[in-house]
Amino acid sequence: QSKKEGRNRYCWFDPAMEVEARLRREMESAIRKGLENGEFSPHYEQQIDLETGKLVGFEMLARWNSPEMGTVSPEIFIPVAESCGLIGPLSQSLIASALRDAQSWDPSLTLSVNISSMQLRDPWFPQKLLKLLLSSDFPAARLDVEISESCLHENLTAVQTMIVSLKNIGVRVSLDDFGTGFASLAQLRTLPFDRVKIDRSFVGELRRVAEAASDGTGADDQQEHIVNTLVSLGRGLQIPVTAEGIEDTSILDTLRTMGEMKGQGYLYGKPEDAAAVLKRLTELDMLAERAAPINDDEQ
Ligand code: C2E
Ligand code: MG
Ligand code: MG
Ligand code: MG
């Protein structure tokens, strides 16, 4: 009995916890250093109008190219940056780079950025964003701010106020990871989102639906119903829909039976850096018009 209590008392010094805490501190200082050394860069994933197949914009996804660890996923470093208070500076520097990159894109193209729950709680965030927009001379209407559904379990009134403030500076606001979180119908109705993005965990399942249909087993179409329901939910609320995680044409074909929407996913390409985007846009003839060519001036 007393032996057991003794052990419990010492669980404060659990070596696994010590190691975890140390790793965390190390990663924190690596993030701080990486931020100074420009190791973080925006990558871009294409967004397509599924009806026309045309490129309509890009979603910026953060990448960390660490000299020690190689390419680190945002799923790892964003939570650490949040917990050590670096998410603000990190995100602002990434958004600033993205706005600069997007200046060379055709003005029809939009830019989507993800923000974290901590930024959502910063009452100055819309002001900071506006400052970035003004200093890069990027029209607010071309910027789309994505808020994950997982943020909606927090103070809903605060989230609502934030969405309204963001819309007041002229940007659009999308609900990301739709279907995975806690949003109730009632909440969705009160939150003025401009778009919902159906999470790729549902969209990806559509491939199995297509496979089942083609091998004649007529397997269950539950997954298709789920995606259809999420699409209809958006439609019912009169909010446009984006499907993410489109990995092959069978998924695309199924989605296209569900009506008008935008989409993105590996079918169109993996997220790529600014230079690769420029190359793509050159091929598509979708670069921003620069100053008039020299011969024009001479004539
Ligand atoms: P998200 O915003 O839902 O982004 C979608 C994720 O799915 C991205 O992962 C993207 O690369 C991946 N993806 C896109 N299409 C496909 C597909 O067809 N198949 C598969 N298997 N995956 C696909 P990534 O880039 O690792 O980003 C993960 C999450 O990290 C993002 O989820 C977003 O919530 C967060 N994140 C990324 N950049 C930032 C940032 O700058 N700030 C904040 N706060 N969060 C960020
Ligand atoms: Mg997103
Ligand atoms: Mg998403
Ligand atoms: Mg997601």
Side-chain angles (χ1 to χ4, degrees):
Q1 170 87 38
S2 69
K3 214 175 176 182
K4 198 175 162 199
E5 274 170 10
R7 247 210 316 268
N8 284 344
R9 261 184 348 138
Y10 286 96
C11 73
W12 287 105
F13 303 104
D14 180 346
M17 269 172 66
E18 273 287 283
V19 170
E20 205 189 294
R22 206 189 57 226
L23 283 176
R24 213 175 175 79
R25 280 196 303 275
E26 277 172 12
M27 173 138 358
E28 280 175 20
S29 61
I31 291 177
R32 201 164 273 127
K33 207 179 80 206
L35 200 49
E36 280 165 20
N37 297 342
E39 291 164 16
F40 293 91
S41 65
H43 277 54
Y44 301 96
E45 179 170 317
Q46 299 174 70
Q47 297 177 318
I48 308 289
D49 177 334
L50 296 192
E51 215 166 40
T52 62
K54 289 219 170 81
L55 177 68
V56 289
F58 291 94
E59 176 177 2
M60 188 269 274
L61 295 158
R63 293 290 179 267
W64 181 13
N65 194 356
S66 151
E68 288 92 16
M69 293 170 277
T71 308
V72 186
S73 158
E75 259 147 355
I76 309 256
F77 68 80
I78 296 285
V80 181
E82 276 195 305
S83 72
C84 66
L86 285 173
I87 189 71
L90 175 60
S91 177
Q92 264 163 267
S93 124
L94 283 161
I95 295 175
S97 310
L99 290 172
R100 217 174 308 122
D101 290 341
Q103 280 176 326
S104 341
W105 306 349
D106 185 273
S108 68
L109 297 170
T110 58
L111 169 69
S112 298
V113 297
N114 295 282
I115 62 159
S116 77
S117 60
M118 271 196 89
Q119 291 168 294
L120 212 55
R121 273 182 261 131
D122 173 9
W124 294 103
F125 178 69
Q127 276 306 107
K128 292 173 184 168
L129 196 58
L130 183 60
K131 226 173 124 188
L132 292 178
L133 284 164
L134 292 174
S135 61
S136 61
D137 203 21
F138 191 83
R142 282 175 63 194
L143 186 72
D144 190 316
V145 173
E146 298 189 359
I147 297 176
S148 174
E149 196 179 88
S150 61
C151 297
L152 298 189
H153 66 281
E154 299 191 22
N155 186 342
L156 211 66
T157 332
V159 177
Q160 191 178 15
T161 310
M162 178 55 78
I163 298 174
V164 171
S165 320
L166 286 169
K167 292 183 70 149
N168 281 342
I169 67 164
V171 302
R172 287 157 205 270
V173 187
S174 296
L175 177 61
D176 201 357
D177 308 321
F178 183 42
T180 61
F182 306 89
S184 70
L185 264 177
Q187 287 170 347
L188 283 184
R189 214 162 40 86
T190 60
L191 298 171
F193 286 110
D194 296 299
R195 176 169 290 278
V196 292
K197 297 187 70 180
I198 300 174
D199 193 68
R200 69 178 151 94
S201 59
F202 305 108
V203 176
E205 290 292 329
L206 291 178
R207 183 194 3 234
R208 292 209 277 139
V209 175
E211 277 164 5
S214 68
D215 65 21
T217 52
D220 75 303
D221 46 6
Q222 214 182 12
Q223 296 303 334
E224 194 172 338
H225 281 311
I226 293 177
V227 176
N228 236 326
T229 301
L230 292 170
V231 172
S232 320
L233 249 158
R235 293 261 155 72
L237 295 163
Q238 291 175 311
I239 307 174
V241 175
T242 295
E244 61 174 27
I246 305 175
E247 290 187 351
D248 59 38
T249 46
S250 71
I251 297 178
L252 175 63
D253 290 344
T254 311
L255 286 171
R256 290 187 66 172
T257 65
M258 298 180 187
E260 193 186 313
M261 68 179 91
K262 289 188 192 177
Q264 53 186 98
Y266 292 173
L267 172 65
Y268 302 102
K270 296 217 168 157
E272 53 196 10
D273 66 15
V277 167
L278 278 191
K279 199 166 151 245
R280 181 180 293 283
L281 294 180
T282 309
E283 281 158 14
L284 291 170
D285 196 18
M286 291 188 90
L287 287 176
E289 277 182 40
R290 301 258 161 204
I294 297 165
N295 344 0
D296 281 0
D297 288 355
E298 285 169 351
Q299 279 163 5

